[in-house]
Amino acid sequence: MPGPVYVAADGRAYDRVPPFCKVSAVATPTPDSLINIEVWLPTQADWNGRFEGIGNGGYAGTIAVGAPAMVVGLRRLFAVATTDMGTAPSANNNGDLLVGHPQKWEDWGHRATHVMTTVSKQLIAAHYGRAPAFSYFNGCSTGGQQALMTAQRHPGDYDGILAGAPANNRTHVHTGLVWNFQAQKATLASTFNSDHARLITAAVARACAVKSGGLAQDTFLTDPRTCDWDPGELQCTSPLSTNCLSPEQVAAARTIYQGATNRATGRRIASASTRGAESDSLFGWQSQGRAEPQFGSLFKWVFGLAWQATTYDFDQHMAAVDSLLAPILNANNPDLGAFRARGGKLIAYHGTADPLIPVQDLINYYHRVAQAQPGSLKVGLDRTRQFFRLFVVPGMAHCAGGDGPNAFGNLFSGAVVAPEPPAADVSHDAMVALQNWVEGGSGPDALTATKYVNDQPAQGIQAQRPVCAYPQFPKYVAGDPTAAASFTCADNGNAASAVLNPAPAPEYLR
């Protein structure tokens, strides 16, 4: 590929692309596997000696999902690779075509990522005559699940891993979306449109922006765990009222904030939707009450194409789903000892305004990793941060977007693509910070996140704010509220709170 323009498989064109060799490969680890892989190799003279594996999104199904992050990696002279995860011709948000193909479920769950990594390293060694000195993985959403699955099952594959908004608790996160769907289908008056969702998010911000640790003018929450706003405050006082919620919508919102629960046992199945995450234009509540739940195909893998979400039983049906799919799809193991022992470093991030995968789910996983260390939770958190750091991003939606500062090297490649940060350095770019940590530097305590005007870099910087290594959060000190220097990172004391950190029951963490 000669550059400087490259046209990806989906027709999108990218500029400033250096010359590279594109290798396409197909892996068939089982008779029903067909895993497409692309490896992009900079010229011999340009290669920086490093490899970056790029994650996919949703049900994958296409190589093109990884292209934006691959282009950035290539510009930085990494050898880069991605895979369609063996799910073609499924669509990114629809895996119905995989019904009856359990080997493809396993490819998507964990096998395709490891196969891609193994094949890529072999091709790199053959092309350059030497193996990469360092290997990194970068993914969000399904890519984040790929990241944590790799750290747990294949700890030797990567030296550094960047994991965003991981769908690692896969069967239960998807069940949470069925719960939200049923809440909106309880009556004909229970659903939300985009106006309702925005109304709720605005009310949440007014009630909790300061309480959550942010500023009064923030339209997002900093630490949403402190917010207990009740949707009854928006209930209409008469049939003619406007800018309010019907009693049925109030009930639906309360159910969604409760989170998926086994109604037979009362046991929590999944983390609840976070207050302040209702109105994202792509995955918000107005999208969760449509014809069927978002990303609901995996239930059809278990129950067939005739499956109806309105009849889902959170007791019997959840047990059936977990029995078949949890062993191959879920990456819930908190024991990262092998990854730590080989010197691996892991940075994870998650937005507080993510309506698809609640931020609490990743916080819970981080707590379980800390609790797997000897000593108290505080000691465990200190030990964990030696190899694994979590960044909770105030106001960011799913992997990107949202009202808060949301660009910090989180180059997710899917339905949403995060803009590049204003500088590719350890302060502004998570991947550069990870590389520095792996290759002999210190781990990042904070990253500077940037909010561009309309999320468009060409329109200039609107605001910047630090995102802090958990359990710290940004705290305003003094000065310009749009400047990162006006904030510091501080522990707000919420990490140890059982009330603010409700974990699913143990049977739903496998």
Side-chain angles (χ1 to χ4, degrees), residues 19-286:
F20 70 98
C21 174
K22 183 177 79 169
V23 183
S24 299
V26 176
T28 55
T30 78
D32 196 31
S33 295
L34 193 69
I35 301 169
N36 290 290
I37 300 164
E38 274 193 15
V39 187
W40 296 0
L41 304 167
T43 64
Q44 291 271 358
D46 287 341
W47 184 44
N48 68 11
R50 299 169 178 85
F51 165 58
E52 182 180 354
I54 305 295
N56 213 298
Y59 289 107
T62 175
I63 293 287
V65 173
M70 292 179 77
V71 167
V72 173
L74 192 67
R75 288 173 183 156
R76 298 179 183 182
L77 304 178
F78 284 76
V80 294
T82 196
T83 174
D84 70 351
M85 303 186 74
T87 59
S90 289
N92 190 251
N93 61 353
N94 187 326
D96 287 6
L97 293 176
L98 301 184
V99 170
H101 294 277
Q103 293 300 331
K104 293 184 182 295
W105 310 340
E106 193 154 356
D107 289 337
W108 180 65
H110 65 89
R111 187 162 49 208
T113 308
H114 179 58
V115 168
M116 174 202 76
T117 303
T118 302
V119 169
S120 298
K121 289 183 177 182
Q122 291 171 347
L123 289 168
I124 289 168
H127 184 70
Y128 296 111
R130 58 191 172 105
F134 297 98
S135 297
Y136 298 90
F137 187 86
N138 174 14
C140 193
S141 194
T142 286
Q145 182 264 355
Q146 292 175 261
L148 292 188
M149 188 69 84
T150 295
Q152 294 167 24
R153 293 197 182 208
H154 304 287
D157 279 2
Y158 292 95
D159 303 291
I161 293 175
L162 183 61
N168 62 297
N169 193 9
R170 177 71 74 175
T171 60
H172 307 116
V173 165
H174 285 239
T175 296
L177 294 172
V178 176
W179 177 271
N180 295 356
F181 176 84
Q182 285 193 4
Q184 293 200 50
K185 297 300 182 185
T187 73
L188 292 175
S190 298
T191 58
F192 303 97
N193 61 30
S194 57
D195 290 337
H196 299 134
R198 286 192 293 267
L199 180 71
I200 295 171
T201 299
V204 167
R206 287 194 300 272
C208 294
V210 174
K211 182 179 181 180
S212 74
L215 304 179
Q217 63 264 38
D218 286 348
T219 56
F220 54 87
L221 304 189
T222 297
D223 183 356
R225 294 175 296 172
T226 62
C227 185
D228 55 1
W229 174 84
D230 183 73
E233 294 182 17
L234 288 178
Q235 184 164 323
C236 301
T237 56
S238 79
L240 298 179
S241 299
T242 59
N243 294 320
C244 57
L245 302 178
S246 70
E248 293 85 355
Q249 289 173 321
V250 170
R254 286 171 175 163
T255 299
I256 292 171
Y257 290 142
Q258 174 190 343
T261 305
N262 184 326
R263 292 190 172 104
T265 65
R267 308 272 279 179
R268 176 177 293 278
I269 294 172
S271 297
S273 184
T274 307
R275 286 170 173 81
E278 304 84 6
S279 59
D280 174 62
S281 60
L282 193 60
F283 298 118
W285 285 10
Q286 74 282 355

Side-chain angles (χ1 to χ4, degrees), residues 473-499:
F473 287 81
K475 179 181 179 181
Y476 179 71
V477 179
D480 180 358
T482 68
S486 301
F487 296 79
T488 189
C489 289
D491 188 338
N492 60 18
N494 291 339
S497 172
V499 173

